[in-house]
Amino acid sequence: MLDFIYYPVSWILWFWHRVFGFVFGADNGASWALAVVFLVFTLRLVLYKPFVRQVRTTKQMQELQPQIKELQKKYKNDRQKMATEMQKLQKENGFNPLMGCLPILAQVPVFLGLFHVLRSFNRTGHGIGQLGMNAYDNAHTPNYVFSAVDVQSFLSARIFGAPISAFITAPVSELQAFADWGGVPSKLSIAIVAIPLMVIASIATHFNARASVARQTPEAAANPQAAIMNKLALWVFPLGVLVGGPFLPIAILLYWVSNNIWTYGQQHLVFGRMEQEEEAKKQAKLDLRSQNAPKPGAKPVDTRKKPQQPADEPEATEEAASTNGSAPAAKPAAKASGKNGQKRPGGQKRPANRGRANQKRRR
């Protein structure tokens, strides 16, 4: 049913086993262990860009927390209006909540696919997803893209005496499948390899969550939902690795450890680049401000537009001209004689009806 997941996972695992099998030998446990580790690295490399988008989305969501709180407070009695305004806010800021969980969702089917493919190297169990084969039929039946020879090579591979597909709580009947291919492993040899991997995976999960929580803004950390998720990531998930570790094959524990190691390094790389981008933006703003600032000793230039003076205020125009050291512009003849008459050279106004009276006397 999930062959579209199982076959790609098998192909990637097969490729890396061929690469490291050429160096260490096909039946060497290191070849199979490194194939699992580089399967993780291949997946995480493909998901690098979505991971960067996830980090940016998370950071953007933290920056929008004050506005989100205002909307929640404003529309606390109107859920529909709140949802509409939230979608509008997300659209205006180019925020896509799906990008925040896409890398995690993409890893889930790969984890399940790897778990199924690894279990399919030993199909002698009778639990869910097992076929109940006998040891001979299991060793001579292909496993997806792996041939029967590859299945036998996997059963023969050991890490410090433990098969990488074995787990601590495996029934004795399932361990009998390794009898003709390196001998039946003991529970002690499996625990010696599995328990340190469980502890390392748990600690790595905790420190990755701790690094993410430390980068949260105070507003985001104060959110009740975020506080609950932080506690789950810091304590419950690492504890879950310890509790579920005895039920997981050694190869899955290798997957978990290598995945956390990649995540830790990738987080520091991505967050370091984002901090450099923020510093570059701040520096660009400072440079732009310094370019617009006046030079030392220079008088600041007022770039604001001066209001235009009305046409019926000639005195203000003359005063402005005298202060600037230039002669006032000649006034048009049509404006020189207004309703109140002409001005004398001394600045006094002439009576408006003086000229008319003289004309009457001359007549």
Side-chain angles (χ1 to χ4, degrees):
M1 184 174 64
L2 297 177
D3 288 348
F4 69 95
I5 296 175
Y6 301 150
Y7 275 99
V9 171
S10 299
W11 277 116
I12 298 173
L13 188 65
W14 178 90
F15 170 78
W16 287 116
H17 174 252
R18 285 292 182 274
V19 172
F20 293 107
F22 180 78
V23 178
F24 301 104
D27 298 340
N28 195 309
S31 300
W32 285 102
L34 289 173
V36 173
V37 171
F38 276 80
L39 167 67
V40 179
F41 292 168
T42 303
L43 168 68
R44 296 305 303 271
L45 190 62
V46 172
L47 294 176
Y48 176 76
K49 288 187 177 180
F51 176 81
V52 174
R53 293 178 184 175
Q54 174 196 1
V55 173
R56 294 186 184 278
T57 300
T58 304
K59 187 170 185 265
Q60 190 177 19
M61 182 175 64
Q62 294 175 3
E63 293 174 351
L64 293 177
Q65 279 299 316
Q67 301 180 44
I68 293 174
K69 286 183 178 180
E70 290 180 2
L71 292 177
Q72 292 174 346
K73 184 178 180 181
K74 185 177 181 181
Y75 302 104
K76 60 181 179 180
N77 297 325
D78 191 349
R79 296 285 182 181
Q80 185 176 0
K81 183 65 175 178
M82 183 190 300
T84 304
E85 292 296 326
M86 290 282 287
Q87 292 177 358
K88 183 179 178 182
L89 179 64
Q90 294 173 2
K91 186 176 181 180
E92 290 176 352
N93 292 272
F95 176 74
N96 187 0
L98 182 62
M99 295 307 302
C101 55
L102 180 60
I104 298 175
L105 294 176
Q107 292 183 57
V108 172
V110 176
F111 177 84
L112 296 176
L114 178 62
F115 182 78
H116 178 77
V117 170
L118 292 175
R119 288 192 67 187
S120 297
F121 280 107
N122 184 1
R123 291 151 287 189
T124 59
H126 296 276
I128 299 175
Q130 293 292 330
L131 301 178
M133 292 182 176
N134 57 50
Y136 180 85
D137 290 340
N138 176 69
H140 292 82
T141 303
N143 178 23
Y144 293 100
V145 302
F146 294 99
S147 64
V149 176
D150 294 329
V151 173
Q152 297 168 17
S153 172
F154 186 88
L155 294 174
S156 302
R158 296 288 189 275
I159 299 178
F160 300 107
I164 64 174
S165 65
F167 50 98
I168 297 175
T169 58
V172 178
S173 59
E174 290 189 28
L175 297 179
Q176 293 296 326
F178 301 98
D180 296 334
W181 315 102
V184 179
S186 64
K187 292 290 186 74
L188 179 61
S189 63
I190 298 172
I192 289 175
V193 178
I195 291 177
L197 290 175
M198 290 162 48
V199 174
I200 294 172
S202 179
I203 294 174
T205 303
H206 172 77
F207 276 100
N208 280 334
R210 194 172 181 177
S212 299
V213 172
R215 292 185 173 93
Q216 291 181 352
T217 60
E219 293 81 5
N223 189 353
Q225 296 179 353
I228 294 174
M229 290 302 300
N230 290 341
K231 290 180 180 179
L232 290 175
L234 285 171
W235 308 109
V236 177
F237 294 163
L239 183 62
V241 178
L242 290 176
V243 175
F247 302 93
L248 298 176
I250 292 175
I252 293 294
L253 295 175
L254 285 170
Y255 172 93
W256 204 287
V257 171
S258 55
N259 186 58
N260 278 281
I261 291 174
W262 179 280
T263 301
Y264 189 81
Q266 187 172 255
Q267 276 186 344
H268 283 270
L269 176 65
V270 173
F271 281 110
R273 288 184 176 179
M274 290 180 64
E275 291 176 359
Q276 291 178 359
E277 291 176 1
E278 292 294 332
E279 291 295 329
K281 289 180 181 179
K282 291 180 180 178
Q283 188 63 36
K285 290 181 179 179
L286 292 175
D287 294 342
L288 182 61
R289 188 178 299 176
S290 62
Q291 290 176 2
N292 295 333
K295 296 181 180 180
K299 185 178 179 180
V301 179
D302 189 3
T303 58
R304 293 177 298 179
K305 188 176 181 180
K306 295 182 179 180
Q308 296 181 356
Q309 295 180 355
D312 56 349
E313 294 183 2
E315 287 96 347
T317 307
E318 292 176 358
E319 290 177 0
S322 61
T323 53
N324 293 333
S326 59
K331 299 179 182 179
K335 294 183 179 180
S337 57
K339 296 181 180 180
N340 296 329
Q342 299 178 351
K343 290 185 179 181
R344 295 180 179 180
Q348 298 178 357
K349 294 182 179 180
R350 293 182 178 179
N353 58 353
R354 183 175 178 182
R356 295 179 182 177
N358 293 336
Q359 289 177 2
K360 291 180 179 181
R361 289 176 183 175
R362 291 176 183 176
R363 289 178 184 176

